[in-house]
Amino acid sequence: EGETEPKEEGTAEETEVDHRREEAEKAQEALEEPKEEGTAEETEVDHRREEAEKAQEALEDYLSEGWQMTHVHAAQYVGYQTRVDREKDIYFVPSMLPVPAEEKVPQDAQPRYLEDEGFYVGERPPVPFRNQNIAEDRLLKEPED
């Protein structure tokens, strides 16, 4: 006893129309309230009347324009693995693993050691191996265009 059954939710369109209709009814009730001349409530009643007229106009505009929900469905979700597979074709992500020496030097060629040839090389600047590996992988897999 005293409990009310929960109101079933309609579509978004029905909910919006119901909400606008309720606003228009409240505004109409505000218009029908008796107005006393010369009271402090006079400006508030005028304000309510203006709001009621605006709400009624908005409701009429909304309904007259023929707005309708065309299709309601759940949000589309693309699984993580599917997204990753699609992005593999689009993006290039270089590896952080060291590149084997055989891939750095063409076949039938020997690596050059400039110090042994008499060139001054100097001290190697500090570069993290991770960054060096990424740069090498990017250079080796770069298209020949």
Side-chain angles (χ1 to χ4, degrees):
E1 294 178 29
E3 294 180 20
T4 58
E5 293 183 19
K7 184 179 176 183
E8 291 186 26
E9 292 290 324
T11 63
E13 176 188 350
E14 291 170 352
T15 306
E16 179 69 21
V17 170
D18 290 343
H19 177 70
R20 290 182 185 258
R21 217 173 253 138
E22 288 172 8
E23 284 182 354
E25 287 172 4
K26 287 179 185 177
Q28 191 65 31
E29 289 173 8
L31 287 175
E32 293 171 0
E33 290 180 2
K35 181 179 175 183
E36 297 179 19
E37 292 293 319
T39 64
E41 296 177 359
E42 188 175 89
T43 56
E44 185 177 338
V45 171
D46 287 340
H47 181 68
R48 285 185 190 171
R49 180 175 286 123
E50 289 173 7
E51 285 183 7
E53 291 171 357
K54 288 180 184 176
Q56 186 66 31
E57 288 175 10
L59 177 63
E60 290 170 2
D61 288 345
Y62 179 78
L63 295 175
S64 68
E65 291 178 10
W67 285 93
Q68 294 179 350
M69 294 293 288
T70 56
H71 184 60
V72 178
H73 58 85
Q76 295 178 349
Y77 174 75
V78 177
Y80 176 76
Q81 193 59 44
T82 307
R83 241 187 3 233
V84 169
D85 292 341
R86 285 184 192 168
E87 290 174 0
K88 276 184 185 176
D89 298 335
I90 299 171
Y91 303 119
F92 169 69
V93 180
S95 173
M96 290 182 274
L97 299 174
V99 178
E102 305 88 50
E103 291 183 23
K104 295 180 189 179
V105 180
Q107 290 181 355
D108 302 330
Q110 294 292 324
R112 290 179 63 188
Y113 297 102
L114 297 177
E115 302 94 10
D116 294 344
E117 295 180 18
F119 290 102
Y120 173 74
V121 177
E123 187 177 329
R124 185 178 183 272
V127 176
F129 287 113
R130 176 179 170 180
N131 291 355
Q132 179 180 340
N133 295 340
I134 289 172
E136 288 175 357
D137 192 50
R138 184 175 282 139
L139 288 171
L140 289 172
K141 292 182 181 176
E142 184 177 33
E144 298 283 328
D145 293 341

